[in-house]
Each structure stands twice: as C-alpha cells, then as structure tokens.
C-alpha cells in the first residue's frame, strides 16, 4: 500500500482467514515491507502502517534525488528496477541535516520512496564518504544492504574513527581501489570476505585495516592486486584459476609483509 502524500502513516483493516482446525487464533500476524504486525486474535482488526520516516527507515525523495533518515542525507542515483546508487553524503544544509558523528549506520533498513515503492541500495559510489570526513564520521557498526554488489573507489577512505568489525554482504562482487584505505580502526576476518567477489582493485585493504585469518576467493578475476593485502595478518591466501598478474611490479605484491602468512 502507499502512504498518502504528506502523511506519516495510514491504517488498513485486516480480516484474517481463520480455520479453527489449522490455525491458532492467538498468533495472527501480517507481514509488510516495514515489518511484521501482530494483530492478535482472528477477526477484523485495524493496524497502523507507518511511513519510512516514522519507523526509522530511509526515505528516497524521487524528485530531489535524495535519500535521508533523521540524521544524514545522501545524493543518490536511480539505477532502475527499484535499485539505488549512493553517490555522496550531503553536507549542504539545504538538502538535509549536516552530518555529524554517528554511532552506527544501518543501510539494511528499508528504503521507501515518496511514491510508495520499496528500493534497495546496490552500489556505494566513488568517494561517497571520503571527502566528508571532517563533517561525518562513523564510530561504530555499518550494516550493509544484502543486495549490495559494488563499493566504489575510496568510498570509505579516511574514516579513521570507524572502529568496528567489517562485515561485507554475500552479494558483493566488486571492491574498487582504496575502498577502505586509511580506515585504521577497522578489523576484518578474511574468512568472512564473500567468496563470490569477482573484482578487487589495488590498495583496497593493505596495512590500513586489521585483517587476520584465511582468505579464499575462488571466483576472483583480476590482473592487478598491487598492495591489496600488504602488511595484513593473513595466515593463508587462495585464489581461483582466473587471477593473473598476481605479483605486479617489484615491492608491490598483494601479500608483501604479511608476516603470519604460511600458505599461498
């Protein structure tokens, strides 16, 4: 259903189909995009459906090309078929609140457009956060959307206060150059890097990030891994047959100075 223009909520009447032989009349619920609503016993019930802003999700303003919650706003690009690219964190107060430090950033929350459609974030664009680090820092966890396929060049570069364990979604296929460069407080278990990743550019992680464990990327297709994992705490590395040009030029290999490495 669509929330009426200018409103924060709407109500719908629900009449569950109840068969006393097969259903428990004390556990009737309705599942909507914004959650599961428990409406109690079988019978005609009225439930309140809130807009994205009201239940803490993201709002996508189609006309303005903006996505926002109560704290931050982003310029976005519509990729079609209800998919969005985050282009840049906004620092223009005419386009939303000025970004300040925030404890966490949840991109897993629903994105509801002003036309009532549900959108997903599939791309985080080049330098989305990196040129805003004097105004917007992430201090804790970032929860990525489960449909994310690409993180762009220097997307999170320089977020030195971002202290968290990095968890990337299984849907991810592309990590571009320096995506997490100078994120010196981040940690990541290499075994949790999605095995479906196809492209990793140079300098994505290197010694800026605290990486440990075993890395296995069987689907990787690349010709340039310069300093991608240099200086990390990897214990083993395994790539698939489509990786070429692994070692790059002298002193720029992907696993140089990985002193815990025992198996490549």
């Amino acid at each position: 259903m669509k929330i009426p223009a200018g409103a924060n909520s709407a109500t719908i009447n629900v009449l569950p189909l109840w068969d006393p032989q097969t259903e428990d009349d004390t556990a009737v619920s309705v599942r909507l995009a914004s959650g599961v609503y428990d409406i109690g016993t079988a019978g005609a019930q009225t439930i309140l459906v809130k807009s994205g802003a009201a239940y803490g999700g993201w709002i996508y303003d189609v006309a303005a090309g903006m996505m926002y919650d109560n704290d931050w706003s982003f310029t976005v690009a519509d990729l079609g078929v209800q998919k969005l690219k985050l282009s840049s964190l906004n620092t223009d107060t005419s386009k939303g609140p000025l970004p300040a430090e925030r404890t966490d950033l949840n991109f897993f929350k629903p994105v509801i457009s002003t036309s009532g459609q549900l959108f997903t974030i599939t791309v985080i664009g080049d330098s989305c956060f990196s040129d805003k680090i004097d105004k917007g820092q992430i201090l804790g966890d970032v929860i990525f959307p489960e449909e994310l396929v690409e993180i762009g060049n220097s997307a999170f570069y320089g977020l030195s206060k971002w202290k968290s364990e990095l968890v990337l979604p299984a849907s991810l296929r592309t990590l571009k150059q320096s995506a997490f460069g100078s994120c010196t407080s981040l940690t990541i278990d290499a075994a949790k890097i999605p095995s479906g990743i196809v492209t990793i550019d140079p300098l994505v992680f290197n010694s800026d990030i605290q990486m440990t464990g075993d890395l296995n990327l069987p689907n990787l297709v690349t010709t340039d891994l310069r300093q991608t994992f240099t200086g990390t705490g990897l214990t083993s590395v395994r790539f698939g047959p489509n990786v070429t040009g692994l070692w790059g030029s002298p002193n720029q290999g992907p696993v140089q100075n990985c002193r815990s490495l025992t198996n490549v």
Side-chain angles (χ1 to χ4, degrees):
M1 66 173 296
K2 294 182 179 180
I3 305 296
N8 285 325
S9 63
T11 58
I12 59 174
N13 292 320
V14 179
L15 181 61
L17 296 174
W18 179 59
D19 181 346
Q21 295 181 348
T22 60
E23 294 187 14
D24 181 355
D25 67 354
T26 63
V28 177
S29 63
V30 176
R31 184 178 294 275
L32 300 172
S34 54
V36 176
Y37 295 81
D38 181 7
I39 62 173
T41 58
Q45 301 285 342
T46 299
I47 62 173
L48 180 67
V49 182
K50 297 180 179 180
S51 70
Y55 67 76
W58 295 95
I59 299 297
Y60 168 37
D61 187 328
V62 177
M66 307 282 293
M67 188 188 84
Y68 60 89
D69 65 0
N70 292 327
D71 298 304
W72 282 5
S73 66
F74 294 86
T75 301
V76 298
D78 192 329
L79 301 177
V81 292
Q82 295 174 239
K83 300 182 185 301
L84 294 177
K85 172 185 176 180
L86 290 187
S87 298
S88 181
L89 175 65
N90 288 319
T91 56
D92 183 346
T93 55
S94 68
K95 297 180 179 179
L98 186 68
E101 292 180 345
R102 63 186 292 168
T103 303
D104 53 38
L105 190 58
N106 186 352
F107 289 127
F108 193 77
K109 296 186 299 185
V111 181
I112 307 295
S113 75
T114 47
S115 59
Q117 294 177 301
L118 188 65
F119 278 73
T120 57
I121 301 165
T122 59
V123 177
I124 297 177
D126 296 350
S127 304
C128 185
F129 293 89
S130 66
D131 57 349
K132 309 295 192 305
I133 58 174
D134 58 330
K135 301 181 177 68
Q137 278 271 9
I138 307 165
L139 303 182
D141 294 338
V142 172
I143 303 176
F144 291 99
E146 61 182 4
E147 298 87 357
L148 187 69
V149 296
E150 179 180 309
I151 298 177
N153 294 325
S154 302
F156 293 94
Y157 185 90
L159 297 185
S160 58
K161 296 182 181 180
W162 183 9
K163 189 174 183 178
S164 177
E165 180 182 359
L166 183 64
V167 179
L168 299 171
S171 57
L172 191 66
R173 294 295 178 265
T174 299
L175 279 170
K176 292 194 172 181
Q177 185 164 331
S178 300
F180 299 102
S182 295
C183 294
T184 52
S185 298
L186 273 185
T187 62
I188 186 169
D189 180 351
K192 295 181 181 179
I193 295 178
S195 60
I197 288 180
V198 175
T199 302
I200 294 181
D201 286 349
L203 301 167
V204 168
F205 298 110
N206 65 51
S207 57
D208 290 338
I209 194 170
Q210 302 169 51
M211 179 184 294
T212 57
D214 302 329
L215 179 68
N216 182 24
L217 296 174
N219 298 299
L220 194 64
V221 179
T222 186
T223 58
D224 191 351
L225 284 173
R226 284 174 295 119
Q227 299 182 337
T228 304
F229 306 103
T230 297
T232 61
L234 289 173
T235 52
S236 72
V237 174
R238 180 178 298 173
F239 299 121
N242 296 314
V243 173
T244 59
L246 177 63
W247 302 108
S249 58
N251 303 317
Q252 291 189 332
V255 292
Q256 286 196 343
N257 298 321
C258 293
R259 304 190 186 281
S260 299
L261 192 63
T262 58
N263 185 25
V264 178

